[in-house]
Amino acid sequence: MEGNKDEAIKCLSIAQKYKDAGNLPSARKFCQKSVNLFSTPEAAKLLESIEAAEASGSSSSSTGAGPSTSNGNAQGSSSSTETHPSASGAKHRSTGSVNGTAGGMGGEKREFTAEQLKVVKRVKACKVTEYYEILSVKKDCEEAEIKKAYRKLALALHPDKNGAPGADEAFKSVSKAFQVLSDPQKRAAYDQSGSDPESRFGGMSSRGPGFSASPFGGGSEGEMSPEDLFNMFFGGGGMAMNGGFGGSPFGGPVFTASFGPGGFRTTRMRTNTGGPQAQQQGEGAQGRSLLMQLLPLLLLIAFSFLSAIPDMFSTSIPDPRYSFSPSSRFNVERQTSGLGIKYHVNGPEFQNHRQIAADIAGGTHRRGSTLSRFEGQVEQVYTSNLYGECQRGVERRQRRRDAEVGLFGVGTDWEKVKAIEAEKIESCEELKRLGVLKS
């Protein structure tokens, strides 16, 4: 239905990103969800291409064309190695598979040492939720040891420095382990359950290591992507374009990282402002900016105080009491002149109110008169109560709709969902009738 079209488009975009990254199972999952929410020709076409790619991948793997990695993903072709002498020892150059190595573009050659490959194999040999084993720390270790272990492994496994097969996945696993163990609440939950505290089985959203709600990070629930975590941990500095640590022409550090089989690359730059004089100028400008932001609020406070001065020196008569439902006490029905809202007052009390009685005797509702001001307050209270009831009714209806749709919308009775969405809320309809709430 049309109400799910935006969500379906988001799922289709995520599926396309997973397909470009070579993660066909996840791509098929989100593409199928997009079709279930709102079927479009683009989603159907993408689903066919994913299924065709999976079929071709399974047929090529069954012919024994290449070796498989420890997690069962087939490589397109065997790797050959060349030995090149260097000051640090022998480096191996991998030709990669047809889909490219873990951290590079398809088919490009990436250098790595035997020690780097050993670190990758050790991390990938661990289960995805064995966070202590991934970081090689004890279960009762301190937070400083966790940070030290992450720093060492992140530098060793960063895709711009380590071209070994599987280095990208290992880097994501290390980032995920650090995100869980560096957070006291997540670590306590993990120690208790032994599973990912952010998975839907652990009471939070389900997602893979190193990913937030979207496949490349940046989600709304606070989880960072591996490159964001790396950038934050190392203070904004990082791998430069050639794989080293460098600076920008503006005086600030530059961070560039590659992620995913598709070679997803991000560059970030932070500028420096100069010495103590520039810092003092920045603080002065910040103070002036803060003052300008607070100026409207200060003017409003001053205006409110000045307008309240006459009331401080005058003896005002309290407004008469009223009710929106009749009773033996509130036995006189009246109607406001603005929105025509019915209210009930006590007859003698209302007639004996000197200022209101004078306004009634005049026969008109003068703007600014006591009667006009009183009825304005009645209308404000009435519409505020209606608005609160309307908002609560909308929230209840939305919760019923979400419960009927379920998690992925599979097997949902969409006719019942339409009926829920079409239900009218009495308080909202009354606000529309009064012209307070637009249709």
Side-chain angles (χ1 to χ4, degrees):
M1 58 181 296
E2 288 292 337
N4 298 322
K5 187 173 182 179
D6 293 340
E7 189 66 24
I9 293 175
K10 291 180 182 178
C11 293
L12 184 61
S13 176
I14 295 173
Q16 183 64 54
K17 290 181 180 180
Y18 272 123
K19 182 177 180 293
D20 295 340
N23 191 345
L24 296 179
S26 296
R28 177 166 49 81
K29 171 186 173 183
F30 278 92
C31 189
Q32 186 63 54
K33 180 181 177 182
S34 176
V35 173
N36 293 335
L37 290 173
F38 187 86
S39 180
T40 59
E42 294 82 2
K45 184 177 179 181
L46 179 61
L47 185 59
E48 290 179 2
S49 65
I50 293 172
E51 291 175 348
E54 287 181 329
S56 62
S58 61
S59 62
S60 62
S61 63
S62 63
T63 60
S68 59
T69 60
S70 60
N71 61 0
N73 293 328
Q75 299 290 334
S77 62
S78 59
S79 300
S80 61
T81 57
E82 300 176 14
T83 305
H84 300 274
S86 64
S88 61
K91 286 189 176 182
H92 302 280
R93 181 180 296 272
S94 170
T95 62
S97 65
V98 294
N99 292 326
T101 59
M105 302 293 288
E108 70 175 355
K109 296 182 179 181
R110 299 292 304 276
E111 292 185 353
F112 58 91
T113 65
E115 185 63 27
Q116 289 176 327
L117 181 60
K118 182 180 178 182
V119 176
V120 172
K121 288 183 176 180
R122 185 197 67 77
V123 172
K124 295 191 67 178
C126 302
K127 295 181 179 179
V128 292
T129 55
E130 290 180 344
Y131 300 139
Y132 291 106
E133 287 77 1
I134 290 174
L135 295 181
S136 294
V137 293
K138 296 181 180 180
K139 191 172 182 179
D140 57 349
C141 65
E142 299 293 334
E143 184 179 357
E145 298 178 56
I146 295 175
K147 291 182 178 179
K148 182 178 179 181
Y150 169 74
R151 179 188 295 271
K152 179 180 177 181
L153 288 172
L155 291 174
L157 294 172
H158 195 280
D160 277 1
K161 298 293 289 182
N162 190 336
D168 190 49
E169 289 79 3
F171 180 69
K172 293 175 184 176
S173 298
V174 168
S175 300
K176 177 66 176 181
F178 177 70
Q179 288 187 46
V180 172
L181 298 184
S182 61
D183 188 306
Q185 294 182 349
K186 294 180 182 178
R187 183 178 180 182
Y190 170 71
D191 290 341
Q192 184 176 4
S193 63
S195 60
D196 183 4
E198 296 180 339
S199 70
R200 59 183 173 185
F201 302 104
M204 299 180 68
S205 62
S206 175
R207 58 182 75 119
F211 288 105
S212 59
S214 64
F216 293 99
S220 60
E221 297 183 19
E223 185 176 351
M224 294 180 293
S225 64
E227 57 104 354
D228 286 334
L229 181 64
F230 186 91
N231 189 24
M232 182 191 72
F233 190 86
F234 289 98
M239 304 299 176
M241 292 297 292
N242 295 326
F245 291 89
S248 72
F250 301 99
V254 174
F255 168 70
T256 304
S258 298
F259 296 96
F264 175 74
R265 180 174 289 273
T266 299
T267 301
R268 295 190 178 186
M269 179 174 61
R270 185 177 62 192
T271 59
N272 295 330
T273 55
Q277 183 177 1
Q279 184 177 2
Q280 292 177 357
Q281 293 177 353
E283 292 176 353
Q286 184 178 5
R288 289 191 297 272
S289 176
L290 180 61
L291 179 61
M292 292 301 295
Q293 292 177 3
L294 293 177
L295 184 59
L297 180 61
L298 296 176
L299 291 176
L300 180 61
I301 294 175
F303 180 78
S304 301
F305 178 76
L306 292 175
S307 60
I309 289 179
D311 295 335
M312 296 172 61
F313 298 98
S314 63
T315 56
S316 59
I317 303 174
D319 292 334
R321 286 163 290 188
Y322 63 93
S323 173
F324 294 112
S325 57
S327 65
S328 58
R329 179 177 182 181
F330 301 103
N331 51 5
V332 177
E333 181 179 283
R334 290 187 57 83
Q335 188 171 335
T336 63
S337 59
L339 299 178
I341 297 172
K342 293 181 179 181
Y343 66 100
H344 300 80
V345 296
N346 181 273
E349 180 184 359
F350 196 77
Q351 293 296 332
N352 291 332
H353 193 284
R354 179 165 51 85
Q355 297 174 346
I356 290 181
D359 293 336
I360 295 175
T364 58
H365 286 77
R366 293 179 294 100
R367 186 177 180 181
S369 65
T370 303
L371 179 59
S372 176
R373 178 184 56 79
F374 170 72
E375 290 189 345
Q377 293 178 356
V378 172
E379 292 176 347
Q380 183 178 4
V381 171
Y382 184 77
T383 54
S384 297
N385 292 339
L386 279 181
Y387 185 79
E389 294 176 4
C390 175
Q391 191 173 21
R392 289 190 292 272
V394 170
E395 291 173 354
R396 286 194 298 270
R397 185 176 63 185
Q398 184 64 31
R399 285 196 296 270
R400 289 173 55 206
R401 181 196 177 279
D402 293 342
E404 185 65 30
V405 172
L407 183 60
F408 295 110
V410 179
T412 301
D413 185 354
W414 293 108
E415 293 299 327
K416 189 173 181 180
V417 173
K418 289 181 180 179
I420 293 175
E421 292 175 343
E423 290 179 358
K424 295 185 179 298
I425 302 172
E426 184 178 352
S427 53
C428 298
E429 296 300 317
E430 176 67 11
L431 286 174
K432 293 177 183 179
R433 186 188 68 79
L434 294 173
V436 179
L437 187 66
K438 295 183 179 180
S439 301

